[in-house]
């Protein structure tokens, strides 16, 4: 299913809100996760149910994502490194994080990162199983489920191809 999400941001002089960011790319792992789009002609000559059956050149774009078996481990290594650097730079402790919103295009990323960081399961914003691969919309979905408003300090961590890691601290 298609999933979308948005988080609105605005400037604020108080200490609340997003207070720190860290981004890093690890190009040595760029071959572990990649995708491409191919045009596929419809076998019946059209898109089923589209009213275009039998039309020449009918078909659809198909997204193929190829993820190496070692991607999850490398993504976790890179994410842990970035998070620990952010924590040192911002002079706070992992124990200060009340909510972890960790997303990647592979299942088990949030639990794996929480384990590496020593965060309890109760502090992880989990996605519903049917949305486990909803990478782009995952932060918005996780926030809806976990309740950002109740958390004092939230750590956002997202990992994608490249490997690229984005981490942010939100203070409520």
């Amino acid at each position: 299913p298609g999933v979308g999400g948005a988080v609105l941001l605005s400037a604020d002089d108080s200490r609340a809100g997003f207070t720190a960011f860290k981004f890093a790319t690890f190009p040595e792992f760029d071959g572990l996760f990649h995708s491409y789009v191919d045009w596929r002609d419809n076998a019946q000559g059209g898109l089923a149910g589209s009213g275009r059956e039998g039309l020449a050149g009918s078909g659809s774009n198909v997204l193929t994502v190829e993820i190496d078996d070692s991607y999850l481990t490398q993504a976790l290594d890179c994410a842990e490194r970035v998070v620990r650097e952010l924590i040192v730079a911002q002079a706070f402790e992992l124990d200060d994080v009340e909510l972890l919103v960790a997303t990647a295009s592979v299942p088990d990323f949030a639990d794996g990162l929480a384990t590496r960081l020593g965060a309890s399961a109760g502090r992880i914003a989990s996605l519903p199983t049917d949305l486990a691969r909803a990478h782009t919309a995952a932060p918005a979905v996780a926030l809806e489920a976990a309740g950002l408003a109740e958390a004092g300090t939230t750590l956002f961590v997202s990992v994608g191809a490249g490997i690229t890691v984005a981490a942010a601290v939100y203070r409520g």
Side-chain angles (χ1 to χ4, degrees), residues 70-93:
S70 67
Y71 176 76
L72 175 59
T73 300
Q74 296 300 336
L76 287 167
D77 289 348
C78 295
E80 181 182 8
R81 179 173 157 190
V82 170
V83 167
R84 293 195 184 280
E85 290 172 3
L86 176 63
I87 287 170
V88 168
Q90 294 302 307
F92 75 94
E93 300 292 325

Side-chain angles (χ1 to χ4, degrees), residues 156-169:
F156 288 84
V157 184
S158 187
V159 176
I163 289 174
T164 300
V165 179
V169 176

Side-chain angles (χ1 to χ4, degrees), residues 60 74 105 111 133 163:
S60 61
Q74 296 300 336
S105 296
D111 291 334
R133 293 182 182 256
I163 289 174

Side-chain angles (χ1 to χ4, degrees), residues 48-64:
S50 69
R52 295 177 47 191
E53 291 81 8
L55 297 177
S58 297
S60 61
N61 286 312
V62 176
L63 173 65
T64 301

Side-chain angles (χ1 to χ4, degrees), residues 58-155:
S58 297
S60 61
N61 286 312
V62 176
L63 173 65
T64 301
V65 177
E66 296 175 348
I67 303 172
D68 189 87
D69 291 341
S70 67
Y71 176 76
L72 175 59
T73 300
Q74 296 300 336
L76 287 167
D77 289 348
C78 295
E80 181 182 8
R81 179 173 157 190
V82 170
V83 167
R84 293 195 184 280
E85 290 172 3
L86 176 63
I87 287 170
V88 168
Q90 294 302 307
F92 75 94
E93 300 292 325
L94 280 169
D95 291 341
D96 296 336
V97 175
E98 295 175 36
L99 181 63
L100 173 64
V101 180
T103 59
S105 296
V106 290
D108 302 322
F109 177 77
D111 291 334
L113 185 60
T115 297
R116 286 172 177 238
L117 299 175
S120 67
R123 295 193 299 170
I124 304 168
S126 299
L127 295 173
T129 304
D130 60 333
L131 296 176
R133 293 182 182 256
H135 178 65
T136 305
V141 173
L143 287 176
E144 181 70 24
L148 179 64
E150 289 81 35
T153 300
T154 300
L155 176 63

